[in-house]
Amino acid sequence: MFFDVALAHRIGDRAIELAFVSDARLTALVGPSGAGKTTVLNCIAGLIRPDSGRIAVEGKVLFDSARHVDLPPERRRAGYVFQDGRLFSHLRVSANLAYGERLAPPGDRWIGREEVIALFGIGHLLNRMPATLSGGEAKRVAIGRALLAAPRFLLLDEPFGSLDAPRAEEILQLVERIRDELEIPVLLVSHSGAEVERLADKVVTLA
Amino acid sequence: MNAWLTPGEWSVVALSLRVSVAAVVLTLPLAYALAWLLARRRFPGRLLLDALVHMPLVLPPVVTGWMLLLLFGRNGPIGAWLDTNFGVTLVFHWTGAALAAAVMALPLMVRAMRLSIEAVDRRLVDAARTLGARPGRAFLTITLPLSAPGIAAGAMLGFARSLGEFGATITFASNIAGQTRTLPLAIYTGLQLPGGEALVTRLSIVSVILSVAALVVSELLVRRSGGSRAHVL
């Protein structure tokens, strides 16, 4: 099973409850805005500690409140592509790409920098500062940075949001290639029905 | 230049610089640690620590100097301990002037650094963690460089404050030529002397030049490290 998630979390008066299993290569998590989709991703990545539940990815338990398992984010190895990109503003694109790559154990790396640069067409951006990138360029760098950290799974939070149609189509095709060519389970949060239908092998709804 | 200031006046300037540099260099790590604690951590006693750090800013400097005397004087708990174990005496010594300047500069340094740490987007630290960075590495590679303009600003404010320190210094370290008579104390002493106006004028001009230079240098440093939007002032 790629994803095996059951969690309950309360923020203020909003309660999030979700349980799903999936062995689809690309699982889409959908639901109305404010339902807590990003919170679920943060729980899986280890940035938020859910009140209770159990999270396992490809058989590895990342969190289990009953057995007091709670791996810190750096040991979960999530390739998390944030909705807002979060490129390091003081580092050039090349240093952003290298950040996670340098921290990944060499034996775990499954994709090289050259391959990522070619796949995402970002070779001409390496010396740029993040503030000078367009939305689509920043998104491609963010996905590349996540892949180079040798993640065991990918979390994509609205990767097509805030992009114009041609740019969104570009990223969509990239996600398709990641799904079809790279051996890595993907959990995608999206609010666009057309994109989810085109990409996802399984859809999970968060009410 | 040598003819402009007498050798005695040059030594006052040199002493002032030594005292201020020592005060800032010694306080910098402590100030940053306090700034980080106050900006990023919630713990019992946080408000008390905050108040303690800021006390020299609101107390009359004479009172701060007197409290230093109680603690670090020859008969004070810390002063006696330093004396018996290391043979170090701070009172009447330039290191005592540096301590007084450091305590007075601390709140300004902490404030500047705390603001810059609070301005660092925590979500970038989260991103670094998901990319495999432990908390310590995330701090060194993200929080520390992004708050560097605040460190420069804090150091500059601390340096300028140390150069001007008077009340706590004269109370704690006294006014001893060659040891604790820094620029403000020398100017004050000159005012008491008949015919001291020329000396007072010269030393005051030096004070103005040093303070403005500190401001300009730090502004340039911050601009270079933080881009065009970063400012000290």
Side-chain angles (χ1 to χ4, degrees), chain B residues 184-209:
Chain B
L185 274 67
I187 292 169
Y188 171 77
T189 308
L191 283 170
Q192 319 286 312
L193 295 174
E197 290 84 1
L199 171 115
V200 168
T201 308
R202 289 198 296 273
L203 291 182
S204 297
I205 291 171
V206 172
S207 290
V208 171
I209 291 171

Side-chain angles (χ1 to χ4, degrees), chain A residues 28-107:
Chain A
L29 179 60
V30 301
S33 31
K37 301 187 291 293
T38 298
T39 304
V40 170
L41 292 190
N42 283 336
C43 288
I44 296 173
L47 298 175
I48 293 180
R49 187 198 156 96
D51 296 336
S52 65
R54 183 176 180 278
I55 299 167
V57 180
E58 283 197 282
K60 185 173 160 110
V61 177
L62 307 179
F63 177 79
D64 188 341
S65 55
R67 290 196 293 148
H68 303 288
V69 177
D70 184 12
L71 293 186
E74 65 270 20
R75 288 184 52 208
R76 298 199 182 195
R77 313 290 302 281
Y80 194 167
V81 179
F82 300 90
Q83 191 174 0
D84 49 0
R86 300 196 198 177
L87 295 178
F88 302 132
S89 52
H90 60 304
L91 300 177
R92 291 180 193 283
V93 166
S94 53
N96 266 280
L97 291 173
Y99 191 93
E101 185 186 27
R102 206 173 289 146
L103 295 173

